[in-house]
Amino acid sequence: DTAVSQTPKYLVTQMGNDKSIKCEQNLGHDTMYWYKQDSKKFLKIMFSYNNKELIINETVPNRFSPKSPDKAHLNLHINSLELGDSAVYFCASSRLVNGGYTFGSGTRLTVV
Amino acid sequence: DQQVKQNSPSLSVQEGRISILNCDYTNSMFDYFLWYKKYPAEGPTFLISISSIKDKNEDGRFTVFLNKSAKHLSLHIVPSQPGDSAVYFCAADQGGSEKLVFGKGTKLTVNP
């Protein structure tokens, strides 16, 4: 009964491909996020959505497009994948930012 | 431009002893701080937090101390247990921005 689930857990793909990562939360939270953990282990926010509306977009290339069909889902679509996109992507949700983040288990994306 | 720094990539402690994890920040506008714990192949999980109006918050074996003048916080785990072995991330928030800024993490190993 996972609170924040993201699929797939592992994704290996070739440069230039388009791929999507899905995220769903069953906590009833209003806000969802995508974070990227790069090779240097930094966890950095990419996007945040509140009730399906984009709140934060942190200078992420246009190739990354989040989509929130409803407040329980926030999917991440990546076009024209590049080697530098290889990272672990974490989805998270919160009702309130102060301590309320619940993270998914991550999607390890490897671009070859 | 690291606003949240965890300068020790790793820490090794004997079971039963105290673990002290440190975190420094540069942005004086941060007003809420959190610690997350992460096991391999899992997402970070919220551990404990502290508001800038406090200098200490305790929850069981975990205590977070905040020194605003030094822009420093620390997480104390007493007594340390082997199950505490994980990567610990310090994170900071500014005015409920819904955008947590994370440190690089410190890998704690508690030896039996």
Side-chain angles (χ1 to χ4, degrees):
Chain A
D1 192 17
T2 308
V4 178
S5 60
Q6 49 183 115
T7 55
K9 193 167 180 65
Y10 299 96
L11 183 55
V12 181
T13 188
Q14 290 189 321
M15 280 175 55
N17 283 351
D18 303 338
K19 290 293 178 186
S20 292
I21 307 172
K22 295 185 177 181
C23 179
E24 176 182 3
Q25 55 98 1
N26 62 7
L27 298 166
H29 288 167
D30 293 324
T31 308
M32 295 186 72
Y33 312 81
W34 277 107
Y35 273 79
K36 177 181 179 181
Q37 186 178 31
D38 60 23
S39 58
K40 296 181 180 178
K41 305 302 182 186
F42 281 108
L43 260 171
K44 291 184 181 175
I45 190 167
M46 300 173 68
F47 301 103
S48 108
Y49 269 72
N50 183 278
N51 277 318
K52 302 193 301 177
E53 286 191 30
L54 179 65
I55 303 298
I56 295 171
N57 181 341
E58 282 292 303
T59 60
V60 177
N62 292 340
R63 299 181 295 103
F64 289 79
S65 53
K67 286 184 172 43
S68 182
D70 55 62
K71 76 173 193 177
H73 295 83
L74 180 62
N75 303 322
L76 183 64
H77 189 76
I78 315 170
N79 290 327
S80 304
L81 277 155
E82 299 177 358
L83 292 176
D85 297 331
S86 295
V88 182
Y89 293 84
F90 288 98
C91 177
S93 73
S94 72
R95 175 167 287 119
L96 296 171
V97 69
N98 291 344
Y101 270 41
T102 301
F103 281 89
S105 57
T107 295
R108 181 174 292 278
L109 170 66
T110 304
V111 182
V112 297
Chain B
D1 179 22
Q2 288 178 247
Q3 295 188 73
V4 177
K5 301 178 186 180
Q6 293 177 257
N7 292 319
S8 297
S10 63
L11 174 68
S12 187
V13 170
Q14 208 62 31
E15 181 178 6
R17 306 294 289 267
I18 184 172
S19 295
I20 300 177
L21 298 140
N22 293 305
C23 178
D24 297 294
Y25 61 96
T26 57
N27 186 344
S28 56
M29 300 300 290
F30 286 144
D31 58 4
Y32 202 82
F33 304 89
L34 308 92
W35 284 94
Y36 283 80
K37 175 179 177 179
K38 184 183 179 302
Y39 292 117
E42 294 184 14
T45 55
F46 170 71
L47 195 57
I48 192 169
S49 63
I50 188 166
S51 164
S52 61
I53 62 173
K54 294 187 175 182
D55 54 20
K56 177 183 174 181
N57 188 24
E58 192 172 350
D59 183 3
R61 296 185 298 112
F62 302 91
T63 303
V64 55
F65 294 92
L66 176 62
N67 182 335
K68 286 196 297 288
S69 60
K71 294 193 181 70
H72 177 83
L73 65 155
S74 60
L75 174 67
H76 292 210
I77 307 173
V78 182
S80 302
Q81 300 173 355
D84 296 329
S85 298
V87 177
Y88 289 79
F89 289 96
C90 172
D93 177 52
Q94 176 184 333
S97 68
E98 307 243 15
K99 184 173 77 173
L100 293 185
V101 180
F102 283 83
K104 287 177 68 170
T106 296
K107 183 177 181 181
L108 173 67
T109 303
V110 180
N111 301 301

